[in-house]
Amino acid sequence: MRDIYRGVAVLAAVAAGAAALVLVLPSGPDEVAAGPVAAPSAMPSSSGPAAPSPVPSSSVPAASPSASPTATPSPGSSLAPGYTAMQALYADPRVPRLTTAVKRMHLTRPAKRYVKDKRTGLAVPRLAAPWKAHGAAPFTSKQVLPRTRGTTLRGLFVTCPLPIQEQDKPRDTALLAARWTLNHHPKGSRITWLASQPVKRGWLLVYRVTYRKHQSRAAVVVVDGGMSKPGLAFVTVPDTQRKQWRDIGRVVSGVRALG
């Protein structure tokens, strides 16, 4: 009889343990769903990371399958994955918003001599001396001004297939192209818009680039030349060669599609 009672006690203890185990395990693999990921803060907390506190699974909301970032980040903020190229542009403090206050410029008479770039489908002006043709790589055509003593900067006029993602609107594509050209200006350069207007099969932007105590005048013209990607014409002239700033008007007036 004593052995029988001992067996009953063991069975009761096992049953109680199994019940406790059921209570502490989650009810299923989908009990806790991940929430949407937000853009990280641009500035770390001065007090250091806080210790995570346990959150009951029932209080964590399930993520919507269509959840995606919708707010445009402010300039200088960090970007979470999923933001568009234009949202990244608007978050760049080097590039101001292009407003309706930016006027059109008067286009001069088209050039008589052209460089035909068949890789972009563009014809662009062949600028007069002191400009001269130069080895194109990594572009598809290049014209430069002579070097000025005391600086490595000099006038540059190039063409190439569009190096950034094309947007639905030619104006937006030109904005992203202008931002890309900051790679060819000194570190810390910032843009000020001078002119913006449509051209046949594309868009042009003229702008000032400031860096330290100096500045350059620059322009981009994005034109559909009938190739797989639009063609880009980009010209920049530093203030040490300001006499050639007038050539920027000749460039933007003369870029056209070959076809």
Side-chain angles (χ1 to χ4, degrees):
M1 183 66 68
R2 182 180 303 170
D3 292 339
I4 293 174
Y5 288 144
R6 185 178 302 166
V8 171
V10 169
L11 290 174
V14 170
L21 184 62
V22 170
L23 292 176
V24 298
L25 289 178
S27 59
D30 298 327
E31 186 177 36
V32 179
V37 178
S41 172
M43 295 297 293
S45 172
S46 59
S47 60
S53 56
V55 180
S57 60
S58 59
S59 67
V60 180
S64 171
S66 61
S68 59
T70 55
T72 300
S74 59
S77 65
S78 299
L79 298 177
Y83 282 110
T84 67
M86 293 305 296
Q87 287 173 324
L89 171 76
Y90 296 142
D92 192 333
R94 304 172 301 168
V95 185
R97 293 282 185 137
L98 181 60
T99 68
T100 55
V102 179
K103 305 299 183 182
R104 296 189 177 202
M105 70 176 294
H106 173 70
L107 300 182
T108 60
R109 184 181 304 175
K112 295 181 179 180
R113 299 196 310 157
Y114 280 87
V115 174
K116 295 181 179 180
D117 182 359
K118 295 183 179 180
R119 289 185 59 189
T120 61
L122 300 184
V124 298
R126 186 184 298 277
L127 299 175
W131 291 91
K132 62 180 181 180
H134 195 276
F139 305 101
T140 49
S141 78
K142 181 191 290 185
Q143 300 174 61
V144 298
L145 287 172
R147 294 188 184 277
T148 302
R149 180 178 297 180
T151 179
T152 59
L153 300 177
R154 60 171 167 173
L156 175 72
F157 175 30
V158 299
T159 58
C160 63
L162 188 69
I164 48 87
Q165 182 180 2
E166 182 181 7
Q167 304 298 298
D168 293 335
K169 298 179 181 179
R171 175 182 176 273
D172 291 346
T173 302
L175 284 168
L176 291 177
R179 179 183 182 230
W180 172 84
T181 67
L182 290 177
N183 295 325
H184 299 277
H185 290 98
K187 185 178 180 180
S189 293
R190 290 175 175 262
I191 283 176
T192 301
W193 302 117
L194 301 178
S196 170
Q197 62 205 73
V199 294
K200 187 176 181 180
R201 300 170 70 171
W203 200 275
L204 76 82
L205 294 169
V206 182
Y207 48 100
R208 178 171 58 247
V209 182
T210 55
Y211 42 90
R212 299 187 292 274
K213 296 181 180 180
H214 293 277
Q215 62 174 283
S216 293
R217 296 293 171 89
V220 293
V221 187
V222 178
V223 171
D224 181 0
M227 312 303 285
S228 59
K229 301 185 70 173
L232 170 68
F234 161 51
V235 59
T236 181
V237 180
D239 54 11
T240 53
Q241 297 174 318
R242 64 178 67 238
K243 289 183 179 180
Q244 263 54 58
W245 279 355
R246 61 181 180 270
D247 292 330
I248 293 176
R250 296 188 176 98
V251 168
V252 298
S253 298
V255 177
R256 60 179 175 82
L258 281 172

